[in-house]
Amino acid sequence: MTIVKINAITVPADSGDELARRFAARAGAVDDQDGFEGFELLRPSDERTTWLVITRWRDEQAFQAWVSSPAFAHGHRSAAERAGESAPPPVGVHSEVWSYVPAGGSAPRAD
């Protein structure tokens, strides 16, 4: 059964563009992981400062296998760290992971 993992990241209002840039720099890094079904980065469209990273996985085991993998550790290092330089300061000031399973909805539209 598909599971949805949501990483809710609180980001200062002036740091959102940097968060988006960092995610863009590692776009596709998780795409080939067994059980990975999809990814979205959601920017708040109101005064909130919590961004949502939404991923879908075949099951909890697939998600846990990715979190324990070298690919996870590598993908969460900055480009500077991968080049042997110091890590930049974190963008987020708080983060928590939520876990959900689909309980209803509609099928994607084929436009």
Side-chain angles (χ1 to χ4, degrees):
M1 166 183 271
T2 294
I3 63 160
V4 178
K5 297 293 184 173
I6 302 170
N7 189 359
I9 305 172
T10 304
V11 178
D14 61 348
S15 297
D17 288 342
E18 176 63 13
L19 181 71
R21 188 192 65 72
R22 290 183 187 184
F23 269 92
R26 41 184 244 223
V30 70
D31 291 357
D32 294 331
Q33 296 301 304
D34 182 48
F36 177 74
E37 297 178 351
F39 161 87
E40 288 181 281
L41 175 63
L42 302 181
R43 173 194 308 253
S45 60
D46 55 22
E47 71 284 347
R48 296 170 207 211
T49 58
T50 301
W51 290 55
L52 301 178
V53 180
I54 301 173
T55 58
R56 292 180 167 270
W57 296 87
R58 177 185 58 231
D59 52 33
E60 183 69 27
Q61 293 76 17
F63 173 74
Q64 291 302 327
W66 173 65
V67 168
S68 325
S69 73
F72 177 87
H74 180 74
H76 283 79
R77 293 172 59 211
S78 68
E81 289 173 293
R82 290 192 294 269
E85 301 169 15
S86 297
V91 176
V93 295
H94 177 75
S95 174
E96 59 184 284
V97 176
W98 305 334
S99 186
Y100 290 83
V101 295
S106 60
R109 295 183 348 182
D111 292 333

